[in-house]
């Protein structure tokens, strides 16, 4: 069963990153930087269908949003995209102070726990932090 959520998803080196945040919080901007700096592949922007496939949580774009990325100040652009991706990491966007040494956290999707980290999307190191976290998984 599929669930549509307010999120952006990219895939980096075969690992999916689900980016959660309110409207205008920087999901698309962070995704754009991951696409350009780290050769990530777009899965979905702004709205994401998530679903369980056997014991794996996956993401895909709703049909009307496939291959579209909103670039604030530019508009909606067409982008190469993946049909679907696993979700290996959940990133929650925040402007609040982030702990220096956080305890491991999980985000439950269906009955599966996915590693979760808080990231300030507008820090210049945000994309590098995500790639670093993925290397540790």
């Amino acid at each position: 069963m599929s669930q549509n959520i307010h999120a952006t998803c990219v895939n980096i080196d075969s690992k999916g990153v689900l980016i959660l945040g309110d409207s205008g919080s920087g999901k698309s901007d962070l995704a754009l930087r991951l696409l350009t700096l780290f050769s990530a592949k777009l899965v979905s922007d702004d709205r994401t269908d998530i679903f369980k496939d056997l014991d794996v949580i996956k993401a895909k774009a709703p049909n009307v949003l496939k291959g579209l990325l909103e670039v604030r100040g530019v508009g909606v652009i067409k982008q190469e995209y993946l049909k679907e991706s696993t979700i290996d990491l959940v990133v929650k966007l925040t402007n609040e102070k982030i702990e220096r040494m956080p305890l491991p956290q999980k985000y439950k999707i269906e009955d599966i726990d996915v590693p979760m980290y808080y990231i300030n999307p507008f820090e210049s190191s945000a994309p590098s932090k995500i790639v670093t976290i993925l290397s540790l998984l």
Side-chain angles (χ1 to χ4, degrees):
M1 184 169 154
S2 177
Q3 176 185 3
N4 183 272
I5 63 171
H6 196 75
T8 293
C9 185
V10 297
N11 186 288
I12 304 168
D13 295 330
S14 301
K15 292 182 181 177
V17 179
L18 186 69
I19 304 169
L20 302 175
D22 295 332
S23 182
S25 64
K27 296 181 301 296
S28 300
D29 185 88
L30 181 55
L32 178 64
R33 287 183 283 146
L34 288 164
L35 295 172
T36 58
L37 297 173
F38 293 100
S39 301
K41 300 289 183 209
L42 179 67
V43 178
S44 61
D45 183 38
D46 194 46
R47 302 296 307 179
T48 301
D49 291 334
I50 58 172
F51 58 99
K52 187 175 175 181
D53 183 11
L54 300 174
D55 289 333
V56 178
I57 299 297
K58 292 187 176 180
K60 66 180 181 177
N63 286 335
V64 297
L65 298 176
K66 288 181 178 178
L68 300 179
L69 177 69
E70 180 184 345
V71 179
R72 191 173 296 268
V74 176
V76 176
I77 63 170
K78 290 186 178 184
Q79 187 73 39
E80 288 185 38
Y81 70 98
L82 294 177
K83 285 184 178 181
E84 66 180 40
S85 172
T86 58
I87 298 174
D88 302 286
L89 172 64
V90 172
V91 170
K92 275 194 165 181
L93 302 185
T94 183
N95 290 321
E96 302 292 320
K97 185 176 179 180
I98 298 172
E99 290 183 50
R100 290 178 63 192
M101 303 288 231
L103 295 173
Q105 296 193 37
K106 301 288 184 184
Y107 187 84
K108 189 174 282 297
I109 303 173
E110 300 263 341
D111 58 345
I112 296 176
D113 288 333
V114 180
M116 182 189 78
Y117 287 82
Y118 287 92
I119 296 283
N120 181 324
F122 298 113
E123 288 181 348
S124 60
S125 62
S128 297
K129 287 179 183 178
I130 291 172
V131 171
T132 299
I133 293 165
L134 286 174
S135 74
L136 300 172
L137 298 180

